[in-house]
Coordinates of all heavy atoms in Angstrom, one line a residue:
G1 N 47.6 -0.3 51.3 CA 47.7 0.2 50.0 C 46.3 0.2 49.3 O 45.3 -0.2 49.9
P2 N 46.3 0.6 48.1 CA 45.1 0.6 47.3 C 44.4 -0.8 47.1 O 43.2 -0.9 47.1 CB 45.5 1.2 46.0 CG 46.9 1.4 46.0 CD 47.4 1.1 47.3
K3 N 45.2 -1.8 47.0 CA 44.6 -3.2 46.8 C 43.9 -3.6 48.1 O 42.8 -4.2 48.0 CB 45.7 -4.2 46.5 CG 46.2 -4.1 45.1 CD 47.2 -5.2 44.7 CE 47.6 -5.1 43.3 NZ 48.4 -6.2 42.9
I4 N 44.5 -3.3 49.3 CA 43.9 -3.7 50.5 C 42.6 -2.9 50.7 O 41.5 -3.4 51.1 CB 44.8 -3.5 51.7 CG1 45.9 -4.5 51.6 CG2 44.1 -3.6 53.0 CD1 47.0 -4.3 52.6
A5 N 42.6 -1.6 50.3 CA 41.4 -0.8 50.4 C 40.3 -1.3 49.5 O 39.1 -1.4 49.9 CB 41.7 0.7 50.1
A6 N 40.7 -1.8 48.3 CA 39.7 -2.3 47.4 C 39.1 -3.6 47.9 O 37.9 -3.9 47.8 CB 40.3 -2.6 46.0
I7 N 39.9 -4.5 48.5 CA 39.4 -5.7 49.1 C 38.5 -5.4 50.3 O 37.4 -6.0 50.4 CB 40.6 -6.6 49.6 CG1 41.4 -7.1 48.3 CG2 40.1 -7.7 50.5 CD1 42.7 -7.8 48.7
R8 N 38.8 -4.4 51.1 CA 38.0 -4.1 52.2 C 36.6 -3.6 51.7 O 35.6 -3.9 52.3 CB 38.6 -3.0 53.1 CG 39.7 -3.6 54.0 CD 40.1 -2.6 55.0 NE 41.1 -3.2 55.9 CZ 42.3 -2.6 56.1 NH1 42.6 -1.4 55.7 NH2 43.2 -3.2 56.9
R9 N 36.6 -2.8 50.6 CA 35.3 -2.3 50.1 C 34.5 -3.4 49.6 O 33.3 -3.5 49.8 CB 35.6 -1.2 49.0 CG 36.0 0.1 49.5 CD 36.0 1.2 48.4 NE 36.9 0.9 47.3 CZ 38.1 1.1 47.2 NH1 38.7 1.7 48.2 NH2 38.9 0.8 46.1
K10 N 35.1 -4.4 48.9 CA 34.4 -5.5 48.3 C 33.8 -6.4 49.5 O 32.7 -6.8 49.4 CB 35.3 -6.4 47.5 CG 34.6 -7.4 46.7 CD 35.4 -7.9 45.5 CE 34.4 -8.6 44.6 NZ 34.5 -8.2 43.2
M11 N 34.6 -6.6 50.5 CA 34.1 -7.3 51.7 C 32.9 -6.6 52.3 O 32.0 -7.2 52.8 CB 35.2 -7.6 52.7 CG 36.2 -8.6 52.3 SD 35.5 -10.2 52.0 CE 34.8 -10.6 53.6
Q12 N 33.0 -5.3 52.4 CA 31.9 -4.5 53.0 C 30.6 -4.7 52.1 O 29.5 -4.8 52.7 CB 32.3 -3.1 53.2 CG 33.3 -2.8 54.3 CD 33.8 -1.4 54.3 OE1 33.8 -0.7 53.3 NE2 34.4 -1.0 55.4
A13 N 30.8 -4.7 50.8 CA 29.7 -4.9 49.9 C 29.1 -6.3 50.1 O 27.9 -6.4 50.1 CB 30.1 -4.6 48.5
I14 N 29.9 -7.3 50.2 CA 29.5 -8.6 50.4 C 28.7 -8.7 51.7 O 27.6 -9.3 51.8 CB 30.7 -9.6 50.4 CG1 31.2 -9.7 48.9 CG2 30.2 -11.0 50.9 CD1 32.5 -10.4 48.8
E15 N 29.3 -8.2 52.8 CA 28.6 -8.2 54.1 C 27.3 -7.5 54.0 O 26.3 -8.0 54.6 CB 29.5 -7.7 55.2 CG 30.7 -8.6 55.5 CD 31.6 -8.0 56.5 OE1 31.3 -6.9 57.1 OE2 32.7 -8.5 56.7
A16 N 27.2 -6.4 53.3 CA 25.9 -5.6 53.2 C 24.9 -6.5 52.4 O 23.7 -6.5 52.8 CB 26.2 -4.3 52.5
A17 N 25.3 -7.1 51.4 CA 24.4 -8.0 50.6 C 23.9 -9.1 51.4 O 22.7 -9.4 51.4 CB 25.2 -8.5 49.4
I18 N 24.7 -9.7 52.2 CA 24.3 -10.8 53.1 C 23.3 -10.2 54.2 O 22.2 -10.8 54.4 CB 25.5 -11.5 53.8 CG1 26.3 -12.3 52.8 CG2 25.0 -12.4 55.0 CD1 27.6 -12.8 53.3
D19 N 23.6 -9.1 54.7 CA 22.7 -8.5 55.8 C 21.4 -8.1 55.2 O 20.4 -8.0 55.9 CB 23.4 -7.3 56.4 CG 24.6 -7.7 57.3 OD1 24.6 -8.8 57.8 OD2 25.4 -6.8 57.6
D20 N 21.3 -7.8 53.9 CA 20.1 -7.4 53.2 C 19.1 -8.6 53.0 O 18.0 -8.4 52.6 CB 20.4 -6.7 51.9 CG 20.9 -5.3 52.1 OD1 20.7 -4.7 53.2 OD2 21.4 -4.7 51.2
L21 N 19.6 -9.8 53.1 CA 18.7 -10.9 52.8 C 17.7 -11.0 53.9 O 18.0 -10.8 55.1 CB 19.6 -12.2 52.8 CG 20.5 -12.5 51.7 CD1 21.4 -13.6 51.9 CD2 19.7 -12.7 50.4
R22 N 16.5 -11.3 53.6 CA 15.4 -11.3 54.6 C 15.4 -12.6 55.4 O 15.1 -12.6 56.6 CB 14.0 -11.2 53.8 CG 13.8 -9.9 53.3 CD 12.3 -9.7 52.8 NE 12.2 -8.5 52.0 CZ 11.9 -8.5 50.7 NH1 11.7 -9.5 50.0 NH2 11.8 -7.3 50.1
D23 N 15.8 -13.7 54.8 CA 15.7 -15.0 55.5 C 16.9 -15.2 56.4 O 18.0 -15.2 56.0 CB 15.7 -16.1 54.4 CG 15.5 -17.5 55.0 OD1 16.0 -17.8 56.1 OD2 14.9 -18.3 54.3
P24 N 16.6 -15.3 57.7 CA 17.7 -15.4 58.7 C 18.6 -16.7 58.5 O 19.8 -16.6 58.7 CB 17.1 -15.5 60.0 CG 15.6 -15.8 59.8 CD 15.3 -15.3 58.4
L25 N 18.0 -17.8 58.0 CA 18.8 -18.9 57.7 C 19.8 -18.7 56.5 O 20.9 -19.2 56.5 CB 17.9 -20.2 57.4 CG 17.2 -20.7 58.7 CD1 16.3 -21.8 58.3 CD2 18.3 -21.2 59.7
E26 N 19.3 -18.0 55.5 CA 20.2 -17.7 54.4 C 21.3 -16.7 54.8 O 22.5 -16.9 54.4 CB 19.4 -17.0 53.2 CG 18.4 -18.0 52.6 CD 17.6 -17.4 51.5 OE1 17.5 -16.2 51.4 OE2 16.9 -18.2 50.8
R27 N 21.0 -15.8 55.6 CA 22.1 -14.9 56.2 C 23.1 -15.7 57.0 O 24.3 -15.6 56.8 CB 21.5 -13.8 57.1 CG 20.8 -12.7 56.3 CD 20.5 -11.5 57.2 NE 19.8 -11.8 58.4 CZ 18.5 -11.8 58.6 NH1 17.7 -11.6 57.6 NH2 18.0 -12.1 59.8
A28 N 22.6 -16.6 57.8 CA 23.4 -17.4 58.7 C 24.4 -18.3 57.9 O 25.6 -18.4 58.1 CB 22.6 -18.2 59.6
V29 N 23.8 -19.0 56.9 CA 24.6 -19.9 56.1 C 25.7 -19.2 55.3 O 26.9 -19.7 55.3 CB 23.8 -20.9 55.2 CG1 23.2 -20.1 54.0 CG2 24.6 -22.1 54.8
L30 N 25.4 -18.1 54.8 CA 26.5 -17.3 54.0 C 27.5 -16.8 55.0 O 28.7 -16.9 54.7 CB 25.9 -16.2 53.2 CG 25.0 -16.6 52.0 CD1 24.6 -15.4 51.2 CD2 25.7 -17.6 51.1
K31 N 27.1 -16.3 56.1 CA 28.1 -15.8 57.1 C 29.0 -16.9 57.6 O 30.2 -16.8 57.7 CB 27.4 -15.1 58.2 CG 26.9 -13.7 57.9 CD 26.2 -13.0 59.0 CE 25.7 -11.7 58.6 NZ 25.2 -10.9 59.7
L32 N 28.4 -18.1 57.9 CA 29.2 -19.2 58.4 C 30.1 -19.7 57.3 O 31.3 -20.1 57.6 CB 28.2 -20.3 58.8 CG 27.5 -20.1 60.1 CD1 26.4 -21.1 60.3 CD2 28.4 -20.1 61.3
R33 N 29.6 -19.8 56.1 CA 30.4 -20.4 55.0 C 31.6 -19.5 54.6 O 32.7 -20.0 54.3 CB 29.5 -20.7 53.8 CG 30.2 -21.3 52.6 CD 30.4 -22.8 52.7 NE 30.8 -23.3 51.4 CZ 31.6 -24.3 51.3 NH1 32.1 -25.0 52.3 NH2 31.9 -24.7 50.1
Y34 N 31.3 -18.2 54.5 CA 32.3 -17.3 53.9 C 33.0 -16.3 54.9 O 34.1 -15.9 54.7 CB 31.7 -16.5 52.8 CG 31.1 -17.3 51.7 CD1 29.8 -17.5 51.5 CD2 32.0 -18.0 50.9 CE1 29.3 -18.3 50.5 CE2 31.5 -18.8 49.8 CZ 30.2 -18.9 49.7 OH 29.7 -19.7 48.6
L35 N 32.3 -15.9 55.9 CA 32.9 -14.9 56.8 C 33.4 -15.3 58.1 O 34.2 -14.6 58.7 CB 31.8 -13.8 57.0 CG 31.2 -13.1 55.8 CD1 30.2 -12.1 56.2 CD2 32.3 -12.5 54.9
D36 N 33.0 -16.5 58.6 CA 33.5 -17.0 59.9 C 34.7 -17.8 59.9 O 35.2 -18.3 60.9 CB 32.4 -17.8 60.6 CG 31.3 -16.9 61.1 OD1 31.4 -15.7 61.0 OD2 30.3 -17.4 61.7
S37 N 35.3 -18.0 58.7 CA 36.5 -18.8 58.6 C 37.7 -18.0 59.2 O 37.8 -16.8 59.0 CB 36.8 -19.1 57.2 OG 38.0 -19.9 57.1
E38 N 38.6 -18.7 59.9 CA 39.8 -18.0 60.4 C 40.9 -18.0 59.5 O 42.0 -17.4 59.7 CB 40.2 -18.7 61.7 CG 39.2 -18.6 62.8 CD 39.6 -19.3 64.1 OE1 40.7 -19.7 64.2 OE2 38.7 -19.4 65.0
N39 N 40.7 -18.6 58.3 CA 41.8 -18.6 57.3 C 41.1 -18.3 55.9 O 39.9 -18.0 55.9 CB 42.6 -19.9 57.3 CG 41.7 -21.1 57.2 OD1 40.7 -21.1 56.5 ND2 42.1 -22.1 57.9
V40 N 41.8 -18.5 54.9 CA 41.2 -18.2 53.5 C 40.4 -19.3 53.0 O 39.8 -19.2 51.9 CB 42.3 -17.8 52.5 CG1 43.0 -16.5 52.9 CG2 43.4 -18.9 52.4
E41 N 40.3 -20.5 53.6 CA 39.5 -21.6 53.2 C 38.1 -21.4 53.6 O 37.8 -20.8 54.6 CB 40.1 -22.9 53.7 CG 41.5 -23.3 53.2 CD 42.0 -24.6 53.9 OE1 41.2 -25.3 54.4 OE2 43.2 -24.8 53.7
L42 N 37.2 -22.0 52.7 CA 35.8 -22.0 53.1 C 35.6 -22.9 54.3 O 36.2 -23.9 54.4 CB 35.0 -22.5 51.9 CG 35.0 -21.6 50.6 CD1 34.2 -22.3 49.6 CD2 34.4 -20.2 50.9
V43 N 34.6 -22.6 55.1 CA 34.2 -23.4 56.2 C 33.5 -24.7 55.6 O 32.7 -24.6 54.7 CB 33.2 -22.7 57.1 CG1 32.7 -23.6 58.2 CG2 33.9 -21.5 57.7
K44 N 33.9 -25.8 56.1 CA 33.3 -27.1 55.5 C 31.8 -27.2 55.8 O 31.3 -26.7 56.8 CB 34.1 -28.3 56.2 CG 35.5 -28.4 55.7 CD 36.1 -29.6 56.4 CE 37.5 -29.9 55.8 NZ 38.6 -29.1 56.5
W45 N 31.1 -27.8 54.9 CA 29.7 -27.9 55.0 C 29.3 -28.6 56.3 O 28.3 -28.2 56.9 CB 29.1 -28.7 53.8 CG 29.0 -27.8 52.6 CD1 29.7 -27.9 51.4 CD2 28.2 -26.6 52.4 NE1 29.4 -26.9 50.6 CE2 28.5 -26.1 51.1 CE3 27.3 -25.9 53.2 CZ2 27.9 -24.9 50.7 CZ3 26.8 -24.8 52.8 CH2 27.0 -24.3 51.5
A46 N 30.0 -29.6 56.7 CA 29.7 -30.3 57.9 C 29.7 -29.4 59.1 O 28.9 -29.4 60.0 CB 30.6 -31.5 58.1
D47 N 30.7 -28.5 59.1 CA 30.9 -27.5 60.2 C 29.8 -26.5 60.2 O 29.3 -26.0 61.2 CB 32.3 -26.8 60.1 CG 33.4 -27.8 60.4 OD1 33.2 -28.9 61.0 OD2 34.5 -27.6 59.9
V48 N 29.4 -26.1 59.0 CA 28.3 -25.1 58.8 C 27.0 -25.8 59.4 O 26.2 -25.2 60.1 CB 28.1 -24.7 57.3 CG1 26.8 -23.9 57.2 CG2 29.3 -23.9 56.8
S49 N 26.8 -27.0 59.0 CA 25.6 -27.8 59.5 C 25.6 -27.9 61.0 O 24.5 -27.6 61.6 CB 25.6 -29.2 58.9 OG 24.5 -29.9 59.4
V50 N 26.7 -28.2 61.6 CA 26.8 -28.3 63.1 C 26.4 -26.9 63.7 O 25.7 -26.9 64.7 CB 28.2 -28.7 63.5 CG1 28.4 -28.6 65.0 CG2 28.4 -30.2 63.1
R51 N 26.9 -25.8 63.2 CA 26.7 -24.5 63.7 C 25.2 -24.1 63.5 O 24.6 -23.5 64.4 CB 27.5 -23.4 63.1 CG 29.0 -23.6 63.3 CD 29.6 -23.0 64.6 NE 29.3 -21.6 64.8 CZ 30.0 -20.6 64.3 NH1 31.1 -20.8 63.6 NH2 29.7 -19.4 64.5
M52 N 24.6 -24.5 62.4 CA 23.2 -24.1 62.1 C 22.2 -25.1 62.8 O 21.2 -24.6 63.3 CB 22.9 -24.1 60.6 CG 23.6 -23.0 59.9 SD 23.2 -23.0 58.2 CE 21.5 -22.4 58.2
F53 N 22.5 -26.4 62.8 CA 21.4 -27.4 63.2 C 21.9 -28.2 64.4 O 21.1 -29.1 64.8 CB 21.1 -28.3 62.0 CG 20.6 -27.5 60.8 CD1 21.3 -27.4 59.7 CD2 19.3 -26.9 60.8 CE1 20.9 -26.7 58.6 CE2 18.8 -26.2 59.7 CZ 19.6 -26.1 58.6
G54 N 23.1 -28.1 64.8 CA 23.5 -28.9 66.0 C 24.2 -30.2 65.6 O 24.6 -30.9 66.5
D55 N 24.2 -30.6 64.4 CA 24.8 -31.9 64.0 C 25.2 -31.8 62.5 O 24.9 -30.8 61.8 CB 23.9 -33.1 64.3 CG 22.6 -33.0 63.5 OD1 22.6 -32.9 62.3 OD2 21.5 -33.1 64.1
D56 N 25.9 -32.9 62.1 CA 26.3 -32.9 60.7 C 25.6 -34.0 59.9 O 26.2 -34.6 59.0 CB 27.8 -32.9 60.5 CG 28.4 -34.2 61.1 OD1 27.7 -35.0 61.8 OD2 29.6 -34.4 61.0
E57 N 24.4 -34.4 60.3 CA 23.6 -35.4 59.5 C 23.5 -34.9 58.1 O 23.4 -33.7 57.8 CB 22.2 -35.5 60.2 CG 22.2 -36.2 61.5 CD 20.8 -36.4 62.0 OE1 19.9 -36.4 61.2 OE2 20.7 -36.5 63.3
D58 N 23.5 -35.9 57.2 CA 23.4 -35.6 55.8 C 22.2 -34.6 55.4 O 22.3 -33.7 54.7 CB 23.3 -36.9 55.0 CG 23.4 -36.6 53.5 OD1 24.4 -36.0 53.1 OD2 22.5 -37.1 52.7
R59 N 21.1 -34.9 56.1 CA 19.9 -34.0 55.8 C 20.1 -32.6 56.2 O 19.6 -31.7 55.5 CB 18.6 -34.6 56.4 CG 18.6 -34.6 57.9 CD 17.4 -35.3 58.5 NE 17.5 -35.3 59.9 CZ 16.7 -34.6 60.7 NH1 15.8 -33.8 60.2 NH2 16.8 -34.6 62.0
H60 N 20.9 -32.4 57.2 CA 21.1 -31.0 57.7 C 22.2 -30.3 56.8 O 22.1 -29.1 56.5 CB 21.5 -31.0 59.1 CG 20.4 -31.2 60.0 ND1 20.4 -32.0 61.2 CD2 19.1 -30.8 60.0 CE1 19.2 -32.1 61.7 NE2 18.4 -31.3 61.0
V61 N 23.2 -31.1 56.4 CA 24.2 -30.6 55.4 C 23.5 -30.2 54.2 O 23.7 -29.1 53.6 CB 25.3 -31.6 55.2 CG1 26.2 -31.2 54.0 CG2 26.1 -31.9 56.4
K62 N 22.6 -31.0 53.7 CA 21.9 -30.7 52.4 C 21.0 -29.5 52.6 O 20.8 -28.6 51.7 CB 21.1 -31.9 51.9 CG 22.0 -32.9 51.4 CD 21.2 -34.1 50.9 CE 22.2 -35.1 50.3 NZ 21.6 -36.4 49.9
A63 N 20.4 -29.3 53.8 CA 19.5 -28.2 54.1 C 20.4 -26.9 54.1 O 20.0 -25.9 53.5 CB 18.8 -28.3 55.4
A64 N 21.5 -27.0 54.7 CA 22.4 -25.8 54.7 C 22.8 -25.4 53.3 O 22.8 -24.2 52.9 CB 23.7 -26.1 55.5
Q65 N 23.1 -26.4 52.4 CA 23.4 -26.2 51.0 C 22.3 -25.5 50.3 O 22.5 -24.7 49.4 CB 23.9 -27.4 50.4 CG 25.3 -27.9 50.9 CD 25.7 -29.3 50.4 OE1 24.8 -30.1 50.2 NE2 27.0 -29.5 50.4
R66 N 21.0 -26.0 50.6 CA 19.9 -25.4 49.9 C 19.7 -24.0 50.3 O 19.4 -23.1 49.4 CB 18.6 -26.2 50.3 CG 18.4 -27.5 49.5 CD 17.0 -28.0 49.6 NE 16.6 -28.2 51.0 CZ 16.9 -29.2 51.8 NH1 17.6 -30.2 51.3 NH2 16.5 -29.3 53.0
H67 N 19.8 -23.7 51.6 CA 19.7 -22.3 52.0 C 20.8 -21.4 51.4 O 20.6 -20.3 51.0 CB 19.8 -22.2 53.5 CG 18.6 -22.7 54.3 ND1 17.4 -22.1 54.2 CD2 18.4 -23.8 55.1 CE1 16.5 -22.7 54.9 NE2 17.1 -23.8 55.4
H68 N 22.0 -22.0 51.3 CA 23.1 -21.3 50.6 C 22.8 -21.0 49.2 O 22.9 -19.8 48.7 CB 24.4 -22.2 50.8 CG 25.5 -21.8 49.9 ND1 25.7 -22.2 48.6 CD2 26.6 -21.0 50.3 CE1 26.8 -21.6 48.2 NE2 27.4 -20.9 49.1
N69 N 22.4 -22.0 48.5 CA 22.1 -21.8 47.0 C 20.9 -20.8 46.8 O 21.0 -19.9 45.9 CB 21.8 -23.1 46.4 CG 23.0 -24.0 46.4 OD1 24.1 -23.6 46.5 ND2 22.7 -25.3 46.2
G70 N 19.9 -20.8 47.7 CA 18.8 -19.9 47.6 C 19.3 -18.5 47.8 O 18.8 -17.5 47.2
A71 N 20.1 -18.3 48.8 CA 20.6 -17.0 49.2 C 21.5 -16.4 48.0 O 21.3 -15.2 47.6 CB 21.5 -17.1 50.4
L72 N 22.3 -17.2 47.4 CA 23.1 -16.8 46.3 C 22.3 -16.4 45.1 O 22.5 -15.4 44.4 CB 24.2 -17.8 45.9 CG 25.3 -18.1 46.9 CD1 26.3 -19.1 46.3 CD2 26.0 -16.8 47.3
E73 N 21.2 -17.1 44.9 CA 20.3 -16.8 43.8 C 19.6 -15.4 44.0 O 19.5 -14.6 43.1 CB 19.2 -17.9 43.6 CG 19.7 -19.0 42.8 CD 20.2 -18.6 41.4 OE1 19.5 -17.9 40.7 OE2 21.3 -19.1 41.0
K74 N 19.2 -15.2 45.3 CA 18.6 -13.9 45.6 C 19.6 -12.8 45.4 O 19.2 -11.7 44.9 CB 18.0 -13.9 47.0 CG 16.8 -14.8 47.1 CD 16.3 -14.8 48.6 CE 15.1 -15.8 48.6 NZ 14.7 -16.0 50.0
I75 N 20.8 -13.0 45.8 CA 21.8 -11.9 45.7 C 22.0 -11.6 44.2 O 22.1 -10.5 43.8 CB 23.1 -12.3 46.4 CG1 22.9 -12.2 47.9 CG2 24.2 -11.4 46.0 CD1 24.0 -12.7 48.8
K76 N 22.1 -12.7 43.4 CA 22.3 -12.5 42.0 C 21.2 -11.8 41.3 O 21.4 -10.9 40.5 CB 22.5 -13.9 41.3 CG 23.8 -14.5 41.5 CD 23.9 -15.9 40.8 CE 25.1 -16.6 41.2 NZ 25.1 -18.0 40.6
L77 N 20.0 -12.2 41.7 CA 18.8 -11.5 41.1 C 18.7 -10.1 41.4 O 18.2 -9.3 40.7 CB 17.5 -12.2 41.6 CG 17.3 -13.6 41.0 CD1 16.0 -14.3 41.7 CD2 17.1 -13.6 39.5
E78 N 19.2 -9.7 42.6 CA 19.2 -8.3 43.0 C 20.4 -7.5 42.4 O 20.5 -6.3 42.7 CB 19.2 -8.2 44.5 CG 17.9 -8.7 45.1 CD 17.9 -8.8 46.6 OE1 18.9 -8.3 47.3 OE2 17.0 -9.4 47.2
G79 N 21.2 -8.2 41.7 CA 22.4 -7.5 41.1 C 23.5 -7.1 42.0 O 24.3 -6.3 41.7
I80 N 23.5 -7.8 43.2 CA 24.5 -7.4 44.2 C 25.8 -8.1 43.9 O 26.9 -7.6 44.3 CB 24.0 -7.7 45.6 CG1 22.7 -6.9 45.8 CG2 25.0 -7.4 46.7 CD1 22.0 -7.3 47.1
S81 N 25.8 -9.2 43.3 CA 27.0 -10.1 43.1 C 28.0 -9.5 42.1 O 29.0 -10.1 41.9 CB 26.6 -11.5 42.8 OG 26.0 -11.5 41.5
Q82 N 27.7 -8.4 41.5 CA 28.6 -7.9 40.4 C 30.0 -7.6 41.0 O 30.1 -6.9 42.0 CB 28.0 -6.7 39.8 CG 26.6 -6.8 39.3 CD 26.4 -7.9 38.3 OE1 27.3 -8.4 37.7 NE2 25.2 -8.3 38.1

């Protein structure tokens, strides 16, 4: 129906915004956090860290969060997050 079509369009816009990011780590962290989940829950930071850095050490979890926050700021600045 129309709601499903609207959700699909929004997801396509989100995926395009992520793909437009120049930094590959920023793209990776957003895809892992938001798009790679098999359910509606966000992927846990420890799991994102393992996928990006090979472990869930605190420094790597924090690095993943920094890349995430930087990517969201770039998307906001470009006006894509509307």
Side-chain angles (χ1 to χ4, degrees):
K3 286 186 179 185
I4 292 174
I7 291 169
R8 283 191 179 130
R9 283 192 301 276
K10 189 158 199 136
M11 285 302 297
Q12 289 171 338
I14 290 168
E15 289 176 10
I18 291 171
D19 288 339
D20 285 345
L21 290 167
R22 289 188 190 118
D23 186 323
L25 288 174
E26 290 177 348
R27 284 193 309 271
V29 73
L30 292 184
K31 286 181 179 183
L32 288 169
R33 179 81 168 148
Y34 298 110
L35 302 179
D36 283 2
S37 179
E38 293 181 10
N39 53 40
V40 293
E41 295 179 12
L42 296 176
V43 175
K44 291 181 173 85
W45 283 114
D47 295 334
V48 172
S49 176
V50 168
R51 297 273 306 274
M52 289 183 72
F53 302 109
D55 62 53
D56 62 355
E57 290 181 23
D58 190 54
R59 65 189 179 104
H60 288 140
V61 171
K62 288 180 179 177
Q65 291 170 332
R66 278 194 309 276
H67 288 293
H68 170 271
N69 294 341
L72 291 184
E73 279 302 310
K74 287 178 184 170
I75 288 173
K76 285 180 189 176
L77 289 175
E78 294 172 8
I80 300 169
S81 63
Q82 311 298 346

